Amino acid sequence: MAAHIGMMDGAYFVGRSEILAWINSTLHLNLSKVEEACTGAVHCQLMDAAHPGLVPMHKVNFDAKNEYEMIQNYKVLQDIFTKLKITKHIEVSKLVKGRPLDNLEFMQWLKRYCDSVNGGNLHSYNPLERREGCKGAKEVNKRSAPSQNATKNASTASKHVSHNSRRNEVPHVSSTNQSGKISRPSSSGGSSTYSETERTAHEQQITELKLSVDSLEKERDFYFSKLRDIEILCQCPEIENLPVVDAVKRILYAMDDDASLVDTEAMVSEQHQQVETLSCISEEAEERLRVDTQKRKNIVNVDVDLAASNTLSPRQRISDASDVHCSGSLVTY
């Protein structure tokens, strides 16, 4: 089942343009960005298209603007997942933020699921009728109606033009055939503009370029979300006044060939020099403290010796002096 597909599955390499075309054609909407579906209402109706009648569409709010209103839509979606025993985890806290990458990944998974359920055949589904009981459905239907009328008019005009062009080509073809009887090039001498091999190679190259563009867009969105997280972190009141955070902000907001990058590098090198200077000062302070401590110990020892000599009795002093005199006499003898 699609709930167990990995991140390297082909479903996660479907481009946003293809996702938007699928949503707009299935639900008769006029979305221009995938993150516009962050309210959860589109997800609910896509599940209703895959499983007609299973989703209580009267509980879906297409006019949800606040997060608590969007969460109600995702609760409806979670109930549907529970009924269908789908183990896919819904990152509601990320989806309601409207982040492009999170919404694109979930929509890629949802497309894969709908394709696996009914093979993508949703032609009998009437999205406008199913949306009638939803809150905010009238405004959504009004916005989607002009785009559908324009699509129908464009398709009708293209059919009309193609029919007229075919009708005008008939006499031209007949006259060409008549003149061709007189002068027709040999089959060996004429050749088409592109051979079948070249056409196949060009189509393969176009496909590879599309996949490369989609992969680059996904990578761009990924790093953009990371930079956005760093920006939010730098805006925290606890750390926003630190010099390092200021340097990070300058790098984030700097334009190409901006002088602020040079200032940032100078700031970082200056901070590094300050750290080295402070470390040297701290080492000198520790050495001075050690020397002072040793001097204090020596002074204390001298004071202790003086105090001890002052506390001797007169008899002890005479005995000490006699000992010294005797030792001196012995030495002289």
Side-chain angles (χ1 to χ4, degrees), residues 93 98 110 120 138 166 169 177 199 215 279 305:
S93 59
L110 191 57
K138 293 182 179 180
R166 288 178 183 176
E169 285 176 358
N177 290 334
R199 185 180 295 108
S215 177
S279 62
D305 293 337

Side-chain angles (χ1 to χ4, degrees), residues 194-205:
Y194 294 104
S195 63
E196 187 66 26
T197 305
E198 291 178 346
R199 185 180 295 108
T200 304
H202 289 163
E203 290 178 355
Q204 184 178 1
Q205 186 178 6

Side-chain angles (χ1 to χ4, degrees), residues 73-90:
N73 289 335
Y74 284 106
K75 285 183 178 180
V76 176
L77 183 64
Q78 185 62 61
D79 292 340
I80 300 303
F81 280 17
T82 304
K83 289 180 182 179
L84 297 174
K85 297 181 180 180
I86 299 174
T87 58
K88 172 69 175 177
H89 179 63
I90 305 174

Side-chain angles (χ1 to χ4, degrees), residues 131-179:
R131 274 201 301 267
E132 287 181 354
C134 300
K135 183 179 179 181
K138 293 182 179 180
E139 295 296 329
V140 174
N141 293 337
K142 286 180 181 179
R143 290 196 299 268
S144 61
S147 62
Q148 291 187 23
N149 293 333
T151 304
K152 290 181 180 179
N153 294 333
S155 61
T156 305
S158 62
K159 290 180 181 178
H160 183 68
V161 169
S162 63
H163 178 69
N164 291 337
S165 62
R166 288 178 183 176
R167 189 172 59 185
N168 293 331
E169 285 176 358
V170 172
H172 177 69
V173 170
S174 60
S175 62
T176 305
N177 290 334
Q178 291 177 0
S179 63

